[in-house]
Every structure is written in C-alpha cells, then in structure tokens.
Amino acid sequence: MPAHLMFDGHSDILFDQFSVVAQRLGVYTAADYADILELLVQRWEGGGPDRTCWGEGRKAQEYVCTLPPRIRKLEERAEARA
C-alpha cells in the first residue's frame, strides 16, 4: 500500500493513525483490501495452474493468493476487539 510511506515531517506513526481513522470511517477497510486481492487471485487462476509468473515471482504470487482469507480473519478479530 503506497500510503504506508506517508510522512508529515513529524510523526513516525502517521500511517498507523491514518489507517485507524480510514478503517473506522469505512473509507478503505481490510474488507476492501481482501476484495481487491480476491479479484487478482481469480484473474491469476483463470490463467491455469501455472498462473502467470515463474521462479521468485511465482513464489510471491502464491503467497499473495493466501492473503485474502487471512486478511478476512484479521478483520473479524479486529471487529470483535472493537
């Protein structure tokens, strides 16, 4: 996520603060992020069992394909805590 590089010249936790506010307002939530990743995974799976990458790229792609359910579980835990 590009916003993780946000810096205002003062706060080292600016992105963390932004993330909490965006999540609470429902502007960009973990569910949105999981939805985007699921769309990518569906498109990659349409390319067949070899997906679209080889070597290190394939390892990274396989990792990304495991993220949507993990993100959804984290979102559920966060909502339960809130």
Side-chain angles (χ1 to χ4, degrees):
M1 175 179 292
H4 80 277
L5 299 174
M6 287 175 29
F7 185 63
D8 64 356
H10 302 286
S11 176
D12 290 332
I13 60 167
L14 182 63
F15 174 73
D16 295 333
Q17 294 168 332
F18 164 80
S19 180
V20 167
V21 171
Q23 181 80 21
R24 285 185 182 162
L25 292 174
V27 174
Y28 186 72
T29 66
D32 296 320
Y33 194 65
D35 290 344
I36 291 166
L37 288 173
E38 284 175 346
L39 176 65
L40 291 175
V41 170
Q42 288 172 1
R43 289 190 181 187
W44 287 333
E45 287 176 347
D50 292 331
R51 303 246 161 103
T52 58
C53 300
W54 297 269
E56 290 296 315
R58 179 158 181 186
K59 288 179 189 176
Q61 193 175 43
E62 291 293 332
Y63 172 75
V64 169
C65 288
T66 68
L67 291 177
R70 294 169 60 191
I71 292 171
R72 296 215 186 270
K73 285 182 185 176
L74 290 171
E75 179 188 23
E76 289 172 12
R77 288 182 195 152
E79 287 178 5
R81 280 186 284 168

Coordinates of all heavy atoms in Angstrom, one line a residue:
M1 N 0.8 -1.2 0.0 CA 0.0 0.0 0.0 C 0.9 1.2 0.0 O 1.7 1.4 0.9 CB -0.9 0.0 1.2 CG -1.7 1.2 1.4 SD -2.8 1.2 2.8 CE -3.9 -0.1 2.4
P2 N 0.7 2.1 -1.0 CA 1.6 3.3 -1.1 C 1.5 4.2 0.1 O 2.5 4.9 0.4 CB 1.1 4.0 -2.4 CG 0.4 2.9 -3.1 CD -0.1 2.0 -2.1
A3 N 0.4 4.3 0.7 CA 0.2 5.2 1.9 C 1.1 4.9 3.0 O 1.3 5.8 3.9 CB -1.3 5.3 2.3
H4 N 1.6 3.7 3.1 CA 2.5 3.4 4.3 C 3.8 4.2 4.3 O 4.5 4.3 5.3 CB 2.8 1.9 4.3 CG 3.9 1.4 3.4 ND1 3.7 1.1 2.1 CD2 5.2 1.2 3.6 CE1 4.8 0.8 1.5 NE2 5.7 0.8 2.4
L5 N 4.0 4.9 3.2 CA 5.2 5.8 3.1 C 4.9 7.2 3.5 O 5.7 8.1 3.4 CB 5.8 5.8 1.7 CG 6.2 4.4 1.2 CD1 6.6 4.5 -0.3 CD2 7.4 3.9 2.0
M6 N 3.6 7.5 3.9 CA 3.2 8.8 4.3 C 4.1 9.3 5.4 O 4.5 8.6 6.4 CB 1.8 8.8 4.8 CG 0.7 8.6 3.8 SD -1.0 8.5 4.4 CE -1.1 9.4 5.9
F7 N 4.5 10.6 5.3 CA 5.3 11.2 6.4 C 5.1 12.7 6.3 O 5.1 13.3 5.2 CB 6.8 10.9 6.2 CG 7.7 11.4 7.3 CD1 7.5 10.9 8.6 CD2 8.6 12.4 7.1 CE1 8.3 11.4 9.6 CE2 9.4 12.9 8.1 CZ 9.2 12.4 9.4
D8 N 4.8 13.3 7.5 CA 4.5 14.7 7.5 C 5.6 15.5 8.1 O 5.5 16.7 8.3 CB 3.2 14.9 8.3 CG 3.4 14.5 9.8 OD1 4.4 14.0 10.2 OD2 2.4 14.8 10.6
G9 N 6.8 14.8 8.2 CA 7.9 15.5 8.8 C 8.0 15.5 10.3 O 9.0 16.0 10.9
H10 N 7.0 15.0 10.9 CA 6.9 15.0 12.4 C 6.6 13.6 13.0 O 7.4 13.1 13.8 CB 5.9 16.0 12.9 CG 6.1 17.4 12.4 ND1 7.0 18.2 12.9 CD2 5.4 18.1 11.5 CE1 7.0 19.4 12.3 NE2 6.0 19.3 11.4
S11 N 5.6 13.0 12.5 CA 5.1 11.8 13.2 C 5.6 10.5 12.5 O 5.4 10.4 11.3 CB 3.6 11.7 13.2 OG 3.1 10.5 13.7
D12 N 6.2 9.6 13.2 CA 6.6 8.3 12.7 C 5.5 7.3 12.6 O 5.6 6.2 12.0 CB 7.7 7.7 13.5 CG 9.0 8.5 13.4 OD1 9.3 9.2 12.4 OD2 9.8 8.5 14.4
I13 N 4.3 7.7 13.2 CA 3.2 6.7 13.2 C 2.0 7.3 12.4 O 0.9 6.9 12.6 CB 2.8 6.4 14.6 CG1 2.3 7.6 15.4 CG2 3.8 5.6 15.3 CD1 1.6 7.3 16.7
L14 N 2.3 8.2 11.5 CA 1.2 8.9 10.7 C 0.4 7.9 10.0 O -0.9 7.9 10.0 CB 1.8 9.9 9.7 CG 0.8 10.7 8.9 CD1 -0.1 11.6 9.8 CD2 1.5 11.6 7.9
F15 N 1.0 6.9 9.3 CA 0.2 5.9 8.6 C -0.7 5.1 9.5 O -1.8 4.8 9.2 CB 1.1 5.0 7.7 CG 0.3 3.9 7.1 CD1 -0.5 4.2 6.0 CD2 0.3 2.6 7.6 CE1 -1.3 3.2 5.4 CE2 -0.4 1.6 7.0 CZ -1.2 1.9 5.9
D16 N -0.1 4.7 10.6 CA -0.9 4.0 11.6 C -2.2 4.7 12.0 O -3.3 4.2 12.1 CB -0.1 3.6 12.8 CG 1.0 2.7 12.5 OD1 0.9 1.9 11.5 OD2 2.0 2.7 13.2
Q17 N -2.0 6.0 12.3 CA -3.1 6.9 12.7 C -4.1 7.0 11.5 O -5.3 6.9 11.7 CB -2.6 8.2 13.1 CG -1.8 8.2 14.4 CD -1.1 9.5 14.6 OE1 -0.7 10.2 13.7 NE2 -0.8 9.8 15.9
F18 N -3.6 7.2 10.3 CA -4.4 7.3 9.1 C -5.2 6.0 8.9 O -6.4 6.0 8.6 CB -3.6 7.6 7.9 CG -4.3 7.4 6.6 CD1 -5.2 8.3 6.1 CD2 -4.1 6.2 5.9 CE1 -5.8 8.1 4.9 CE2 -4.7 6.0 4.7 CZ -5.6 6.9 4.2
S19 N -4.6 4.9 9.1 CA -5.2 3.6 8.9 C -6.3 3.4 9.8 O -7.4 2.9 9.4 CB -4.1 2.5 9.0 OG -4.7 1.3 8.8
V20 N -6.2 3.7 11.1 CA -7.2 3.6 12.1 C -8.4 4.4 11.7 O -9.6 4.0 11.8 CB -6.7 3.9 13.5 CG1 -7.8 4.0 14.5 CG2 -5.7 2.9 13.9
V21 N -8.2 5.7 11.4 CA -9.3 6.6 11.0 C -10.0 6.1 9.8 O -11.2 6.1 9.7 CB -8.7 8.0 10.8 CG1 -9.8 8.9 10.3 CG2 -8.2 8.6 12.1
A22 N -9.3 5.7 8.7 CA -9.9 5.2 7.5 C -10.7 4.0 7.7 O -11.8 3.8 7.2 CB -8.8 5.0 6.4
Q23 N -10.2 3.1 8.6 CA -10.9 1.9 8.9 C -12.2 2.2 9.6 O -13.3 1.7 9.3 CB -10.1 0.9 9.7 CG -10.7 -0.4 10.1 CD -10.6 -1.4 9.0 OE1 -9.9 -1.3 8.1 NE2 -11.5 -2.4 9.1
R24 N -12.1 3.1 10.6 CA -13.3 3.5 11.4 C -14.4 4.1 10.6 O -15.6 3.9 10.8 CB -12.9 4.3 12.6 CG -12.3 3.6 13.7 CD -12.0 4.5 14.9 NE -11.3 3.7 15.9 CZ -10.6 4.3 16.9 NH1 -10.6 5.6 17.0 NH2 -10.0 3.5 17.8
L25 N -14.0 5.0 9.6 CA -14.9 5.7 8.8 C -15.4 4.8 7.6 O -16.4 5.2 7.0 CB -14.2 6.9 8.2 CG -13.9 8.0 9.1 CD1 -13.1 9.1 8.4 CD2 -15.1 8.6 9.8
G26 N -14.8 3.7 7.4 CA -15.2 2.8 6.4 C -14.8 3.2 5.0 O -15.3 2.8 4.0
V27 N -13.8 4.2 4.9 CA -13.3 4.7 3.7 C -12.5 3.6 2.9 O -12.7 3.4 1.7 CB -12.4 5.9 3.9 CG1 -11.7 6.4 2.6 CG2 -13.2 7.0 4.6
Y28 N -11.6 3.0 3.6 CA -10.8 1.9 3.0 C -10.6 0.9 4.1 O -9.8 1.2 5.0 CB -9.5 2.4 2.4 CG -8.7 1.4 1.6 CD1 -9.2 1.0 0.4 CD2 -7.6 0.9 2.1 CE1 -8.5 0.0 -0.3 CE2 -6.8 0.0 1.5 CZ -7.3 -0.5 0.2 OH -6.6 -1.4 -0.5
T29 N -11.2 -0.2 4.0 CA -11.2 -1.2 5.1 C -10.4 -2.4 4.7 O -10.0 -2.6 3.5 CB -12.6 -1.6 5.5 OG1 -13.2 -2.3 4.5 CG2 -13.4 -0.4 5.9
A30 N -10.1 -3.3 5.7 CA -9.5 -4.5 5.4 C -10.3 -5.4 4.4 O -9.8 -6.1 3.6 CB -9.3 -5.3 6.7
A31 N -11.6 -5.3 4.5 CA -12.5 -6.0 3.6 C -12.3 -5.5 2.1 O -12.3 -6.3 1.2 CB -14.0 -5.8 3.9
D32 N -12.1 -4.2 1.9 CA -11.8 -3.7 0.6 C -10.5 -4.3 0.1 O -10.4 -4.7 -1.1 CB -11.7 -2.1 0.6 CG -12.9 -1.5 1.0 OD1 -14.0 -1.9 0.5 OD2 -12.9 -0.5 1.7
Y33 N -9.5 -4.3 0.9 CA -8.2 -4.8 0.5 C -8.3 -6.3 0.2 O -7.8 -6.8 -0.9 CB -7.2 -4.6 1.7 CG -5.8 -4.8 1.3 CD1 -5.1 -4.0 0.4 CD2 -5.0 -5.9 1.9 CE1 -3.8 -4.2 0.1 CE2 -3.7 -6.0 1.5 CZ -3.1 -5.2 0.6 OH -1.8 -5.4 0.3
A34 N -9.0 -7.1 1.0 CA -9.3 -8.5 0.7 C -10.0 -8.7 -0.6 O -9.7 -9.6 -1.4 CB -10.0 -9.2 1.8
D35 N -11.0 -7.8 -0.9 CA -11.8 -7.9 -2.1 C -10.9 -7.7 -3.3 O -11.0 -8.4 -4.3 CB -12.9 -6.8 -2.2 CG -14.0 -7.1 -1.2 OD1 -14.1 -8.3 -0.7 OD2 -14.8 -6.2 -0.9
I36 N -10.0 -6.7 -3.3 CA -9.0 -6.4 -4.4 C -8.1 -7.7 -4.6 O -7.9 -8.1 -5.7 CB -8.2 -5.2 -4.1 CG1 -9.1 -4.0 -4.1 CG2 -7.1 -5.0 -5.1 CD1 -8.5 -2.7 -3.5
L37 N -7.6 -8.2 -3.5 CA -6.7 -9.4 -3.7 C -7.5 -10.6 -4.2 O -6.9 -11.3 -5.1 CB -6.1 -9.7 -2.3 CG -5.0 -8.8 -1.8 CD1 -4.6 -9.1 -0.4 CD2 -3.8 -8.8 -2.8
E38 N -8.7 -10.8 -3.8 CA -9.5 -11.9 -4.3 C -9.7 -11.7 -5.8 O -9.7 -12.7 -6.6 CB -10.9 -12.0 -3.6 CG -10.7 -12.6 -2.2 CD -12.0 -12.6 -1.4 OE1 -13.0 -11.9 -1.8 OE2 -12.0 -13.3 -0.4
L39 N -10.0 -10.5 -6.3 CA -10.1 -10.2 -7.7 C -8.8 -10.6 -8.5 O -8.9 -11.3 -9.5 CB -10.4 -8.8 -8.0 CG -10.5 -8.4 -9.4 CD1 -11.7 -9.1 -10.1 CD2 -10.7 -6.9 -9.6
L40 N -7.7 -10.2 -7.9 CA -6.4 -10.6 -8.6 C -6.2 -12.1 -8.6 O -5.8 -12.7 -9.6 CB -5.2 -10.0 -7.8 CG -5.1 -8.5 -7.9 CD1 -4.0 -8.0 -7.0 CD2 -4.8 -8.1 -9.3
V41 N -6.5 -12.8 -7.5 CA -6.4 -14.2 -7.4 C -7.3 -14.9 -8.5 O -6.9 -15.8 -9.2 CB -6.7 -14.8 -6.0 CG1 -6.8 -16.3 -6.0 CG2 -5.6 -14.3 -5.1
Q42 N -8.5 -14.4 -8.6 CA -9.4 -15.0 -9.6 C -8.9 -14.8 -11.0 O -8.9 -15.8 -11.8 CB -10.8 -14.3 -9.5 CG -11.6 -14.7 -8.3 CD -12.9 -13.9 -8.2 OE1 -13.2 -13.0 -9.0 NE2 -13.6 -14.1 -7.1
R43 N -8.3 -13.7 -11.3 CA -7.7 -13.5 -12.6 C -6.5 -14.4 -12.9 O -6.3 -14.9 -14.0 CB -7.4 -12.0 -12.8 CG -8.6 -11.2 -13.0 CD -8.3 -9.8 -13.4 NE -9.6 -9.0 -13.4 CZ -9.6 -7.8 -13.9 NH1 -8.6 -7.2 -14.4 NH2 -10.8 -7.2 -13.9
W44 N -5.7 -14.5 -11.8 CA -4.5 -15.4 -12.0 C -4.9 -16.8 -12.2 O -4.4 -17.5 -13.0 CB -3.6 -15.3 -10.8 CG -2.8 -14.0 -10.7 CD1 -2.5 -13.2 -11.7 CD2 -2.4 -13.3 -9.5 NE1 -1.8 -12.1 -11.3 CE2 -1.7 -12.2 -9.9 CE3 -2.4 -13.7 -8.2 CZ2 -1.1 -11.3 -9.0 CZ3 -1.8 -12.8 -7.3 CH2 -1.2 -11.6 -7.7
E45 N -5.9 -17.3 -11.4 CA -6.4 -18.6 -11.5 C -7.0 -18.9 -12.9 O -7.0 -20.0 -13.4 CB -7.4 -19.0 -10.4 CG -6.7 -19.1 -9.1 CD -7.6 -19.3 -7.9 OE1 -8.8 -19.2 -8.1 OE2 -7.1 -19.7 -6.9
G46 N -7.5 -17.9 -13.6 CA -8.0 -18.0 -14.9 C -6.9 -18.3 -15.9 O -7.2 -18.8 -17.0
G47 N -5.7 -18.1 -15.5 CA -4.5 -18.4 -16.4 C -4.0 -19.8 -16.3 O -3.1 -20.2 -17.0
G48 N -4.7 -20.6 -15.5 CA -4.4 -22.0 -15.4 C -3.5 -22.3 -14.2 O -3.1 -21.4 -13.4
P49 N -3.1 -23.6 -14.1 CA -2.3 -24.0 -12.9 C -0.9 -23.3 -12.8 O -0.4 -23.2 -11.7 CB -2.2 -25.5 -13.0 CG -2.4 -25.8 -14.4 CD -3.3 -24.7 -14.9
D50 N -0.4 -22.9 -13.9 CA 0.9 -22.2 -13.8 C 0.9 -20.8 -13.4 O 1.9 -20.1 -13.3 CB 1.7 -22.4 -15.2 CG 2.0 -23.8 -15.4 OD1 2.2 -24.6 -14.5 OD2 2.1 -24.2 -16.6
R51 N -0.3 -20.3 -13.3 CA -0.6 -18.8 -13.0 C 0.2 -18.0 -14.1 O 0.2 -18.3 -15.2 CB -0.1 -18.5 -11.6 CG -0.8 -19.4 -10.5 CD -1.7 -18.5 -9.7 NE -2.7 -19.3 -9.0 CZ -2.7 -19.7 -7.8 NH1 -1.7 -19.3 -7.0 NH2 -3.6 -20.5 -7.3
T52 N 0.8 -16.9 -13.7 CA 1.4 -16.0 -14.7 C 2.8 -15.8 -14.5 O 3.4 -15.1 -15.3 CB 0.6 -14.7 -14.7 OG1 0.7 -14.1 -13.4 CG2 -0.8 -14.8 -15.1
C53 N 3.4 -16.3 -13.4 CA 4.8 -16.0 -13.1 C 5.6 -17.3 -12.9 O 5.1 -18.4 -12.7 CB 4.9 -15.2 -11.8 SG 4.0 -13.6 -11.8
W54 N 6.9 -17.1 -12.9 CA 7.8 -18.2 -12.7 C 8.9 -17.8 -11.7 O 9.1 -16.6 -11.4 CB 8.5 -18.6 -14.0 CG 7.6 -19.1 -15.0 CD1 7.2 -20.3 -15.3 CD2 6.8 -18.3 -16.0 NE1 6.3 -20.4 -16.3 CE2 6.0 -19.1 -16.7 CE3 6.8 -16.9 -16.2 CZ2 5.2 -18.7 -17.7 CZ3 5.9 -16.5 -17.2 CH2 5.1 -17.4 -18.0
G55 N 9.5 -18.8 -11.1 CA 10.6 -18.5 -10.1 C 10.2 -17.7 -8.9 O 9.2 -18.1 -8.3
E56 N 10.9 -16.7 -8.6 CA 10.6 -15.9 -7.4 C 9.3 -15.2 -7.5 O 8.6 -15.1 -6.5 CB 11.7 -14.9 -7.1 CG 13.0 -15.4 -6.7 CD 12.9 -16.1 -5.3 OE1 12.3 -15.5 -4.4 OE2 13.4 -17.2 -5.2
G57 N 8.9 -14.8 -8.7 CA 7.6 -14.2 -8.9 C 6.5 -15.1 -8.6 O 5.5 -14.7 -8.1
R58 N 6.7 -16.4 -9.0 CA 5.6 -17.3 -8.7 C 5.5 -17.6 -7.2 O 4.4 -17.7 -6.7 CB 5.9 -18.7 -9.4 CG 4.8 -19.7 -9.1 CD 4.7 -20.8 -10.0 NE 3.6 -21.6 -9.6 CZ 3.3 -22.7 -10.2 NH1 4.0 -23.1 -11.3 NH2 2.3 -23.5 -9.8
K59 N 6.6 -17.6 -6.5 CA 6.5 -17.8 -5.0 C 5.8 -16.6 -4.4 O 5.0 -16.8 -3.5 CB 8.0 -17.9 -4.4 CG 8.7 -19.1 -4.7 CD 10.0 -19.1 -4.1 CE 10.9 -20.3 -4.6 NZ 12.2 -20.3 -4.0
A60 N 6.1 -15.4 -4.9 CA 5.4 -14.2 -4.4 C 3.9 -14.3 -4.7 O 3.1 -13.9 -3.8 CB 6.0 -12.9 -4.9
Q61 N 3.6 -14.7 -5.9 CA 2.2 -14.8 -6.3 C 1.5 -15.8 -5.5 O 0.3 -15.6 -5.0 CB 2.1 -15.1 -7.8 CG 0.8 -15.0 -8.4 CD 0.8 -15.2 -9.9 OE1 1.4 -16.2 -10.3 NE2 0.1 -14.4 -10.6
E62 N 2.1 -17.0 -5.2 CA 1.5 -18.0 -4.3 C 1.2 -17.4 -2.9 O 0.1 -17.7 -2.4 CB 2.4 -19.2 -4.2 CG 2.5 -20.0 -5.5 CD 1.2 -20.7 -5.9 OE1 0.4 -21.0 -5.0 OE2 1.0 -20.9 -7.1
Y63 N 2.1 -16.6 -2.4 CA 1.9 -16.0 -1.1 C 0.7 -15.1 -1.1 O -0.1 -15.1 -0.2 CB 3.2 -15.3 -0.7 CG 3.0 -14.5 0.6 CD1 3.0 -15.1 1.8 CD2 2.9 -13.1 0.5 CE1 2.8 -14.4 3.0 CE2 2.7 -12.4 1.7 CZ 2.7 -13.0 2.9 OH 2.5 -12.3 4.0
V64 N 0.7 -14.2 -2.2 CA -0.4 -13.2 -2.3 C -1.8 -14.0 -2.3 O -2.7 -13.5 -1.8 CB -0.2 -12.3 -3.5 CG1 -1.4 -11.5 -3.8 CG2 1.0 -11.4 -3.2
C65 N -1.8 -15.1 -3.0 CA -3.0 -15.9 -3.1 C -3.5 -16.4 -1.8 O -4.7 -16.7 -1.7 CB -2.8 -17.0 -4.1 SG -2.7 -16.5 -5.8
T66 N -2.7 -16.5 -0.8 CA -3.1 -17.0 0.5 C -3.6 -15.8 1.4 O -4.1 -16.1 2.5 CB -2.0 -17.7 1.3 OG1 -0.9 -16.8 1.6 CG2 -1.4 -18.8 0.4
L67 N -3.4 -14.6 1.0 CA -3.7 -13.5 1.8 C -5.2 -13.1 2.1 O -5.6 -12.8 3.2 CB -3.0 -12.2 1.3 CG -1.5 -12.2 1.5 CD1 -0.9 -11.0 0.8 CD2 -1.1 -12.3 2.9
P68 N -6.1 -13.2 1.1 CA -7.4 -12.8 1.3 C -8.1 -13.4 2.5 O -8.7 -12.7 3.4 CB -8.2 -13.1 0.0 CG -7.1 -13.0 -1.0 CD -5.9 -13.5 -0.4
P69 N -8.1 -14.8 2.6 CA -8.7 -15.4 3.8 C -8.0 -14.9 5.1 O -8.7 -14.8 6.2 CB -8.6 -16.9 3.6 CG -7.9 -17.1 2.4 CD -7.6 -15.8 1.7
R70 N -6.7 -14.8 5.1 CA -6.0 -14.3 6.3 C -6.4 -12.9 6.7 O -6.6 -12.6 7.9 CB -4.5 -14.4 6.1 CG -4.1 -15.9 5.9 CD -2.7 -16.0 5.4 NE -1.7 -15.4 6.3 CZ -0.4 -15.2 6.0 NH1 0.0 -15.5 4.8 NH2 0.4 -14.6 6.9
I71 N -6.6 -12.0 5.7 CA -7.0 -10.7 6.0 C -8.4 -10.6 6.5 O -8.7 -9.9 7.4 CB -6.8 -9.8 4.7 CG1 -5.4 -9.6 4.4 CG2 -7.5 -8.5 4.9 CD1 -5.1 -9.0 3.0
R72 N -9.3 -11.5 6.0 CA -10.6 -11.5 6.5 C -10.7 -12.0 7.9 O -11.5 -11.5 8.7 CB -11.5 -12.4 5.6 CG -11.6 -11.8 4.2 CD -13.0 -12.1 3.6 NE -13.0 -11.7 2.2 CZ -13.3 -10.4 1.8 NH1 -13.7 -9.5 2.7 NH2 -13.3 -10.1 0.5
K73 N -9.8 -12.9 8.3 CA -9.8 -13.4 9.7 C -9.3 -12.3 10.6 O -9.8 -12.1 11.7 CB -8.9 -14.6 9.8 CG -9.5 -15.9 9.3 CD -8.6 -17.1 9.5 CE -9.2 -18.3 8.9 NZ -8.3 -19.4 9.0
L74 N -8.3 -11.6 10.2 CA -7.7 -10.4 10.9 C -8.8 -9.4 11.1 O -8.9 -8.8 12.2 CB -6.5 -9.8 10.3 CG -5.2 -10.7 10.3 CD1 -4.1 -10.1 9.4 CD2 -4.7 -10.9 11.7
E75 N -9.6 -9.1 10.1 CA -10.6 -8.1 10.1 C -11.7 -8.5 11.2 O -12.1 -7.7 12.0 CB -11.3 -7.9 8.8 CG -12.4 -6.9 8.8 CD -13.2 -6.9 7.5 OE1 -13.2 -7.9 6.8 OE2 -13.8 -5.9 7.3
E76 N -12.1 -9.8 11.2 CA -13.0 -10.3 12.1 C -12.5 -10.1 13.5 O -13.3 -9.7 14.4 CB -13.3 -11.8 11.9 CG -14.1 -12.0 10.6 CD -14.2 -13.5 10.3 OE1 -13.9 -14.4 11.1 OE2 -14.7 -13.8 9.1
R77 N -11.3 -10.4 13.8 CA -10.7 -10.3 15.1 C -10.7 -8.8 15.5 O -11.0 -8.5 16.7 CB -9.2 -10.8 15.1 CG -9.2 -12.3 15.1 CD -7.8 -12.8 15.2 NE -7.6 -14.2 14.8 CZ -6.6 -14.7 14.2 NH1 -5.5 -14.0 14.1 NH2 -6.5 -16.0 13.9
A78 N -10.3 -7.9 14.6 CA -10.3 -6.5 14.9 C -11.7 -6.0 15.3 O -11.8 -5.2 16.2 CB -9.7 -5.7 13.8
E79 N -12.7 -6.5 14.5 CA -14.1 -6.0 14.8 C -14.5 -6.6 16.1 O -15.2 -5.9 16.9 CB -15.0 -6.5 13.7 CG -14.8 -5.7 12.4 CD -15.7 -6.3 11.3 OE1 -16.6 -7.2 11.5 OE2 -15.6 -5.8 10.2
A80 N -14.1 -7.8 16.5 CA -14.5 -8.3 17.8 C -13.9 -7.6 18.9 O -14.5 -7.3 20.0 CB -14.1 -9.8 17.8
R81 N -12.7 -7.1 18.7 CA -12.0 -6.3 19.8 C -12.6 -4.9 19.9 O -12.7 -4.4 21.0 CB -10.5 -6.2 19.5 CG -9.7 -7.4 19.9 CD -8.2 -7.1 19.7 NE -8.0 -7.2 18.2 CZ -6.9 -6.8 17.6 NH1 -5.9 -6.3 18.3 NH2 -6.7 -6.9 16.3
A82 N -13.0 -4.4 18.8 CA -13.6 -3.0 18.8 C -15.0 -3.1 19.4 O -15.5 -2.5 20.2 CB -13.7 -2.5 17.4

